[in-house]
Amino acid sequence: MTAPTLEPPPEITVKPKRGGLLHQRDFRLLWLGETTNRVGINITTVAMPLVAVVTLNASTFAVSVLAAAPWLPWLLIGLPAGAWVDRMRRRPLMLACNVGSLLLLASVPIAAWLDVLTMTQMLIVALLNGLAAVFFGISYKVYVPSIVERKDLQEANAKLQGSESVAQVAGLGGGGLLAGAFGAASGLLVNALTFLFSALCLSRIRAEEPRPEQPKERAPLRQDIKEGLQYTVKDPYLRILTGYGTVTNLLLTAYQAILPVFMIRQLMVAEGAVGWLLASSSIGGLLGATLAKRIADRHGTARGLQLATLFTAPFGLLIPMAGEGWQLVTLAIGSALLALGVVLANVIQGAFRQRYCPPQLLGRVTSCISVANFGAIPFGSLLGGALGTALGLRPTLWMLTAGLAVTPLILLIGPMRGRRDLPSAPDPSGGRDLTVEPRTA
């Protein structure tokens, strides 16, 4: 008598829930906290100059200095910030950043009500708020792998990058709306509440964050920074991606610095509509975040990154083609498609770094890349202003958008050319190995 054979049970395919990671409580709280923090930062970029103009009657130069102040901390302490982030838990640090921004921004309307607000206080608030943004921006990117599995990093970064695009739209428009509804200074008090909400979300995350590795002998901070720089500069993938991001940021901010002047003085756009037209690029950014995972899955992370940027960047040439009336549509389309490619690249790069870099170096590598990318922003603004003054607005826009059209060619340099996917770990035989080889007798 033979034993009956048992048929294997049929495979059950579990269909993923719509919304994906948003059904995971801890990621949802991080996503909400990061989004409201970004909304607050973008509102601040609009609201602070409005307070300076409306309440303090500041000069054009003073307003431009105030606008540049939040980016200076990236140049001043961006590199050591990454080393510090690698030494401590990230969630308490993000909570401290939110509370600090809340108190700083609330001090402005209080000083205005007491009639003691000065430009000096505004600059100090902008600098310290920028300092908080540096630590928050590095920390949340390093914190993501603590609550998300490696296989979900692409989706996590897409959602976080998409929320940044939404935050830009809400921030640029919301800053003007708050100023109109409550007054320039009082609008900042409402803005401060976004950081309170962000802190409340982050405080409710349940996942226990692992303690950073504590070596028996702590290396000097300078050595930590040097190690992060060496890792970033010597690695062929990180080096190329950092170069691409820096050049792109330089040219993007150069054309964005003169775009409002071009719109108001040459295209005769009403001042109230300028903010919404500038925010239209975020629609493309949101689309880029939505499509990033699909493009990476279909074409591969390396090939998808190259194809997406090569096909979207040339559309920036539509921007200097813009004219009055209905011809403004070319400006909106060009800005949106440029943003689509940039955000898509950011999503793929973010997930790649989180998988690729050793956890104990991720904060330092993130800060090195951020210093290079964000440090280009004030220089880009100066470049745009200088070229716009010397050559005229439209010729400068042609020059800068033509430069943006060819920047994706940087991605074809080095090991990414011909690859379908970016690697998930460094190749020891690729010429960049920071480990110390044991000595032979």
Side-chain angles (χ1 to χ4, degrees), residues 15-25 27-28 148 151-152 155-156 159 293:
K15 188 175 181 180
K17 294 181 180 180
R18 294 191 65 178
L21 280 174
L22 293 183
H23 289 281
Q24 181 185 321
R25 181 182 184 276
F27 176 78
R28 184 169 65 248
V148 172
K151 64 182 179 63
D152 294 324
E155 180 188 349
K159 283 183 166 55
K293 187 176 186 302

CSV table of all heavy atoms in Angstrom, one decimal, residues 15-25 27-28 148 151-152 155-156 159 293:
chain,number,residue,atom,x,y,z
A,15,LYS,N,-1.8,40.6,-2.8
A,15,LYS,CA,-1.7,41.9,-3.5
A,15,LYS,C,-1.4,43.0,-2.5
A,15,LYS,O,-2.0,43.1,-1.5
A,15,LYS,CB,-3.1,42.2,-4.1
A,15,LYS,CG,-3.1,43.3,-5.1
A,15,LYS,CD,-4.4,43.5,-5.7
A,15,LYS,CE,-4.4,44.7,-6.7
A,15,LYS,NZ,-5.7,44.8,-7.4
A,16,PRO,N,-0.3,43.7,-2.9
A,16,PRO,CA,0.1,44.8,-1.9
A,16,PRO,C,-1.0,45.8,-1.8
A,16,PRO,O,-1.8,46.1,-2.7
A,16,PRO,CB,1.3,45.4,-2.6
A,16,PRO,CG,1.2,45.0,-4.0
A,16,PRO,CD,0.5,43.7,-4.1
A,17,LYS,N,-1.1,46.4,-0.6
A,17,LYS,CA,-2.1,47.4,-0.3
A,17,LYS,C,-1.8,48.6,-1.1
A,17,LYS,O,-0.6,49.0,-1.3
A,17,LYS,CB,-2.2,47.7,1.2
A,17,LYS,CG,-2.7,46.6,2.0
A,17,LYS,CD,-2.7,47.0,3.5
A,17,LYS,CE,-3.2,45.9,4.4
A,17,LYS,NZ,-3.2,46.3,5.8
A,18,ARG,N,-2.9,49.3,-1.5
A,18,ARG,CA,-2.6,50.6,-2.1
A,18,ARG,C,-2.1,51.6,-1.0
A,18,ARG,O,-2.5,51.6,0.1
A,18,ARG,CB,-3.9,51.2,-2.7
A,18,ARG,CG,-4.5,50.3,-3.8
A,18,ARG,CD,-5.6,51.0,-4.5
A,18,ARG,NE,-5.2,52.3,-5.2
A,18,ARG,CZ,-5.9,53.1,-5.9
A,18,ARG,NH1,-7.2,52.8,-6.1
A,18,ARG,NH2,-5.4,54.2,-6.4
A,19,GLY,N,-1.1,52.4,-1.4
A,19,GLY,CA,-0.5,53.2,-0.5
A,19,GLY,C,0.8,52.7,0.0
A,19,GLY,O,1.7,53.4,0.5
A,20,GLY,N,1.0,51.4,-0.1
A,20,GLY,CA,2.3,50.8,0.2
A,20,GLY,C,2.8,51.1,1.7
A,20,GLY,O,2.1,50.8,2.6
A,21,LEU,N,3.9,51.7,1.8
A,21,LEU,CA,4.5,52.0,3.1
A,21,LEU,C,3.7,52.9,4.0
A,21,LEU,O,3.9,53.0,5.2
A,21,LEU,CB,5.9,52.6,2.9
A,21,LEU,CG,7.0,51.7,2.5
A,21,LEU,CD1,8.3,52.5,2.2
A,21,LEU,CD2,7.3,50.7,3.7
A,22,LEU,N,2.7,53.6,3.4
A,22,LEU,CA,1.9,54.5,4.2
A,22,LEU,C,1.0,53.7,5.1
A,22,LEU,O,0.5,54.3,6.1
A,22,LEU,CB,1.0,55.4,3.3
A,22,LEU,CG,1.8,56.5,2.5
A,22,LEU,CD1,0.8,57.3,1.7
A,22,LEU,CD2,2.7,57.3,3.4
A,23,HIS,N,0.9,52.4,4.9
A,23,HIS,CA,0.2,51.6,5.9
A,23,HIS,C,1.0,51.2,7.0
A,23,HIS,O,0.5,50.6,8.0
A,23,HIS,CB,-0.4,50.3,5.2
A,23,HIS,CG,-1.5,50.6,4.2
A,23,HIS,ND1,-2.8,50.8,4.6
A,23,HIS,CD2,-1.5,50.7,2.9
A,23,HIS,CE1,-3.6,51.0,3.6
A,23,HIS,NE2,-2.8,51.0,2.5
A,24,GLN,N,2.3,51.4,6.9
A,24,GLN,CA,3.3,51.1,8.1
A,24,GLN,C,3.3,52.3,9.0
A,24,GLN,O,3.6,53.5,8.6
A,24,GLN,CB,4.7,50.9,7.5
A,24,GLN,CG,5.7,50.5,8.6
A,24,GLN,CD,7.1,50.4,8.1
A,24,GLN,OE1,7.3,49.8,7.0
A,24,GLN,NE2,8.0,50.9,8.8
A,25,ARG,N,2.9,52.1,10.2
A,25,ARG,CA,2.7,53.3,11.2
A,25,ARG,C,3.9,54.2,11.3
A,25,ARG,O,3.8,55.4,11.2
A,25,ARG,CB,2.2,52.7,12.5
A,25,ARG,CG,1.9,53.8,13.6
A,25,ARG,CD,1.6,53.1,14.9
A,25,ARG,NE,1.2,54.1,15.9
A,25,ARG,CZ,2.0,54.8,16.6
A,25,ARG,NH1,3.4,54.6,16.5
A,25,ARG,NH2,1.6,55.7,17.5
A,27,PHE,N,6.6,54.5,9.4
A,27,PHE,CA,7.0,55.3,8.3
A,27,PHE,C,6.0,56.4,8.0
A,27,PHE,O,6.4,57.5,7.6
A,27,PHE,CB,7.1,54.4,7.0
A,27,PHE,CG,7.4,55.2,5.8
A,27,PHE,CD1,8.7,55.6,5.5
A,27,PHE,CD2,6.4,55.6,4.9
A,27,PHE,CE1,8.9,56.4,4.4
A,27,PHE,CE2,6.6,56.3,3.8
A,27,PHE,CZ,7.9,56.7,3.5
A,28,ARG,N,4.7,56.1,8.2
A,28,ARG,CA,3.7,57.2,8.0
A,28,ARG,C,3.9,58.4,8.9
A,28,ARG,O,3.8,59.5,8.5
A,28,ARG,CB,2.3,56.6,8.3
A,28,ARG,CG,1.1,57.6,8.0
A,28,ARG,CD,-0.2,56.9,8.0
A,28,ARG,NE,-0.5,56.4,9.3
A,28,ARG,CZ,-0.6,55.1,9.6
A,28,ARG,NH1,-0.3,54.2,8.7
A,28,ARG,NH2,-0.9,54.7,10.9
A,148,VAL,N,12.6,51.2,7.8
A,148,VAL,CA,12.2,50.7,6.5
A,148,VAL,C,13.2,49.6,6.1
A,148,VAL,O,14.4,49.7,6.2
A,148,VAL,CB,12.1,51.8,5.4
A,148,VAL,CG1,11.9,51.2,4.1
A,148,VAL,CG2,11.1,52.8,5.8
A,151,LYS,N,14.5,46.5,0.9
A,151,LYS,CA,13.7,46.3,-0.3
A,151,LYS,C,12.7,47.5,-0.5
A,151,LYS,O,12.2,47.7,-1.6
A,151,LYS,CB,13.0,45.0,-0.3
A,151,LYS,CG,11.9,44.8,0.8
A,151,LYS,CD,11.3,43.5,0.7
A,151,LYS,CE,10.2,43.3,1.8
A,151,LYS,NZ,9.1,44.2,1.7
A,152,ASP,N,12.4,48.2,0.6
A,152,ASP,CA,11.4,49.3,0.5
A,152,ASP,C,12.0,50.7,0.4
A,152,ASP,O,11.3,51.7,0.4
A,152,ASP,CB,10.4,49.2,1.7
A,152,ASP,CG,9.6,47.9,1.7
A,152,ASP,OD1,9.2,47.5,0.6
A,152,ASP,OD2,9.3,47.4,2.8
A,155,GLU,N,10.8,52.9,-2.6
A,155,GLU,CA,9.4,53.4,-2.4
A,155,GLU,C,9.5,54.5,-1.3
A,155,GLU,O,8.8,55.6,-1.4
A,155,GLU,CB,8.5,52.3,-1.9
A,155,GLU,CG,7.1,52.8,-1.7
A,155,GLU,CD,6.2,51.7,-1.1
A,155,GLU,OE1,6.6,50.6,-1.1
A,155,GLU,OE2,5.1,52.1,-0.7
A,156,ALA,N,10.2,54.3,-0.2
A,156,ALA,CA,10.3,55.3,0.9
A,156,ALA,C,10.8,56.6,0.4
A,156,ALA,O,10.3,57.7,0.7
A,156,ALA,CB,11.2,54.7,2.0
A,159,LYS,N,8.3,58.4,-1.9
A,159,LYS,CA,7.3,59.1,-1.1
A,159,LYS,C,7.8,60.4,-0.4
A,159,LYS,O,7.2,61.4,-0.4
A,159,LYS,CB,6.6,58.2,-0.1
A,159,LYS,CG,5.7,57.2,-0.8
A,159,LYS,CD,5.0,56.3,0.3
A,159,LYS,CE,3.8,55.5,-0.4
A,159,LYS,NZ,4.1,54.8,-1.6
A,293,LYS,N,10.1,54.7,-9.1
A,293,LYS,CA,10.2,53.3,-8.8
A,293,LYS,C,9.9,52.5,-10.1
A,293,LYS,O,10.5,51.5,-10.4
A,293,LYS,CB,9.3,52.9,-7.6
A,293,LYS,CG,9.5,51.4,-7.2
A,293,LYS,CD,8.7,51.1,-6.0
A,293,LYS,CE,9.0,49.7,-5.5
A,293,LYS,NZ,8.8,48.7,-6.5
